[in-house]
Amino acid sequence: MKDKLEKLKKEILDYLKDVKDNDVLREFEIKYLSRKGKLAEVLKGLKNLDASERKEIGQLANEVKKEIQNKFQEVKNIVSGEGGQDKIIDVTLPGKKIKKGSISPLTIVQNELEDLFTSMGFMVLDGPELESDYYNFEAVNIPKNHPARDMQDTFYIDKKNKDDEYDLVMRTHTSSVQVRAMQKYGAPLRCVVPGRVFRCEAIDASHEHTFDQMEGLMVGENISLDNLIAVMKELLKGIFHKEMEVRVRPGYFPFVEPGIELDIKCTLCEGKGCPACKNSGWLELFPAGLVHPKVLEYGGIDSKKYSGFAFGLGLTRLVMMKYGINDIRAFNNGDLRFLKQF
Ligand code: PHE
């Protein structure tokens, strides 16, 4: 019996030395360690021994069994790749590629602008995209039936707001937050409002139903066009990293008086004239103006004491100019190849 055990132990340990994969290991387990395996077979013989022998041989059998089980576990760990220092690592295999997301160019530029404006003491505010007709139009001096409503057709929602007085619309501009901000914070006030806006447009390379703007608003005593232009120039320096040549033209928006359009010298042809600037040498960058007294009053601000400026930066357009993106549809069409470039 003793010899049988020793022989079996040797046989098993030899066998285990050569095991390199799971299939062979499984075969081994069935052949030697299962209920009907060779080890069980030998151990069955124990019951035929007399008491004194049984004690001695039983102890030996236990030791052999333990040793075999330990070795078996060790080999199993190595084969399944979990063994401590004996773990088999093929260092020549190529590594797994780590998939990294990227930041939308809109977010990149928005973050830059937020940093710039907060450094000049502006707050960054938010407002609802589904807005009441009141804040989007009425409160910025575009009453019902005013022809200026035609400039910004949008999507009207088939539900009124909670006091049932005004329709809900997808906001057409971030100017909708002007009066909200005045009502909440009063004067003096400095804020920018980045966000998505919506228009009912025929879509092509330069028109989208959804795009991004950034509104700027400053209210205080004696705020003038000079202040507006100074802030605009600072902004342009922040965006283009150099002094930009600008031109100011009159522009009409019901919520500013006077209203202006700020143009920059074309970044592509430097003012000589090219297709990008329709041969004018100038690129329309953003509209702005001094806040109309009526809008200040809607915001609960005394228009005799305070004045202010506002501008409406086309964030999407700015990003297109900065990165040379020639089709606005790239922003919303969900093609990851576009986003992966940034
Ligand atoms: N809200 C205007 C638009 O979207 C832009 C604008 C903002 C003009 C502020 C003047 C002042 O067209």
Side-chain angles (χ1 to χ4, degrees):
M1 175 96 191
K2 210 170 165 181
D3 288 349
K4 264 193 190 167
L5 263 174
E6 292 291 358
K7 223 176 115 208
L8 184 64
K9 178 175 138 186
K10 192 172 176 304
E11 188 180 333
I12 288 180
L13 294 181
D14 282 349
Y15 193 117
L16 279 174
K17 259 192 222 142
D18 296 328
V19 174
K20 291 260 161 6
D21 66 62
N22 265 320
D23 290 344
V24 180
L25 195 65
R26 184 88 197 107
E27 252 172 53
F28 162 83
E29 200 179 359
I30 295 168
K31 187 168 169 196
Y32 289 100
L33 305 183
S34 67
R35 257 193 320 133
K36 289 187 179 147
K38 280 192 167 182
L39 184 61
E41 189 89 5
V42 174
L43 295 180
K44 249 191 236 159
L46 272 178
K47 65 175 186 296
N48 301 328
L49 299 174
D50 60 46
S52 64
E53 250 187 329
R54 197 184 305 158
K55 193 169 171 225
E56 189 198 338
I57 306 273
Q59 208 170 7
L60 178 70
N62 266 338
E63 277 164 25
V64 170
K65 200 170 153 191
K66 226 187 198 151
E67 196 179 341
I68 290 170
Q69 273 168 346
N70 284 348
K71 189 74 195 164
F72 173 73
Q73 195 56 43
E74 194 181 298
V75 172
K76 196 170 166 182
N77 285 348
I78 292 173
V79 169
S80 61
E82 288 164 10
Q85 51 184 189
D86 291 332
K87 187 170 170 182
I88 300 164
I89 300 174
D90 185 349
V91 291
T92 63
L93 283 175
K96 279 204 189 112
K97 200 167 175 187
I98 299 169
K99 283 193 187 145
K100 257 202 318 184
S102 60
I103 299 177
S104 157
L106 272 170
T107 311
I108 296 174
V109 173
Q110 182 182 323
N111 287 346
E112 279 174 18
L113 293 180
E114 285 180 9
D115 284 351
L116 191 94
F117 277 107
T118 43
S119 78
M120 292 194 277
F122 283 68
M123 296 186 281
V124 180
L125 299 183
D126 211 354
E129 292 177 352
L130 180 58
E131 181 56 283
S132 84
D133 182 290
Y134 177 76
Y135 285 110
N136 195 78
F137 293 124
E138 297 268 339
V140 285
N141 200 26
I142 315 179
K144 287 211 168 41
N145 306 317
H146 192 289
R149 288 216 176 194
D150 290 348
M151 302 197 304
Q152 299 187 357
D153 191 15
T154 182
F155 305 99
Y156 287 80
I157 306 301
D158 200 17
K159 251 198 190 129
K160 308 270 184 194
N161 67 350
K162 59 177 179 308
D163 46 23
D164 244 15
E165 199 183 337
Y166 292 98
D167 288 326
L168 288 173
V169 304
M170 297 304 287
R171 69 174 176 194
T172 57
H173 51 186
T174 42
S175 301
S176 60
V177 187
Q178 282 192 18
V179 167
R180 284 181 176 278
M182 291 177 202
Q183 286 175 339
K184 183 157 182 196
Y185 297 103
L189 171 66
R190 288 180 217 183
C191 64
V192 285
V193 187
R196 272 198 296 187
V197 299
F198 311 86
R199 305 238 176 127
C200 186
E201 296 271 9
I203 294 170
D204 61 28
S206 49
H207 296 89
E208 249 289 15
H209 51 67
T210 303
F211 55 98
D212 280 66
Q213 290 187 333
M214 185 184 261
E215 192 81 2
L217 177 67
M218 180 166 180
V219 179
E221 287 181 49
N222 301 318
I223 298 292
S224 69
L225 278 182
D226 277 350
N227 300 114
L228 169 62
I229 291 168
V231 170
M232 295 296 86
K233 288 194 119 176
E234 203 56 41
L235 165 67
L236 291 171
K237 219 171 15 175
I239 298 169
F240 294 100
H241 305 294
K242 60 175 185 188
E243 204 82 42
M244 297 296 284
E245 219 175 303
V246 299
R247 150 179 115 163
V248 170
R249 292 179 286 123
Y252 173 69
F253 294 90
F255 36 93
V256 283
E257 181 59 40
I260 62 168
E261 291 276 357
L262 196 109
D263 300 342
I264 52 167
K265 195 165 256 183
C266 180
T267 44
L268 295 177
C269 66
E270 312 242 329
K272 289 188 200 74
C274 70
C277 60
K278 297 187 194 117
N279 280 318
S280 70
W282 295 91
L283 288 171
E284 215 177 293
L285 196 63
F286 45 83
L290 293 187
V291 181
H292 196 290
K294 266 193 165 171
V295 178
L296 291 173
E297 298 292 340
Y298 275 121
I301 290 175
D302 181 355
S303 63
K304 300 243 165 24
K305 184 166 179 210
Y306 293 104
S307 55
F309 68 70
F311 60 84
L313 205 138
L315 204 57
T316 305
R317 260 198 76 219
L318 188 66
V319 172
M320 289 173 75
M321 279 168 56
K322 185 163 175 172
Y323 292 100
I325 298 163
N326 57 16
D327 195 326
I328 194 171
R329 290 168 290 196
F331 289 92
N332 289 338
N333 73 2
D335 188 337
L336 281 180
R337 289 172 304 174
F338 170 67
L339 288 176
K340 279 186 179 152
Q341 297 174 64
F342 299 95

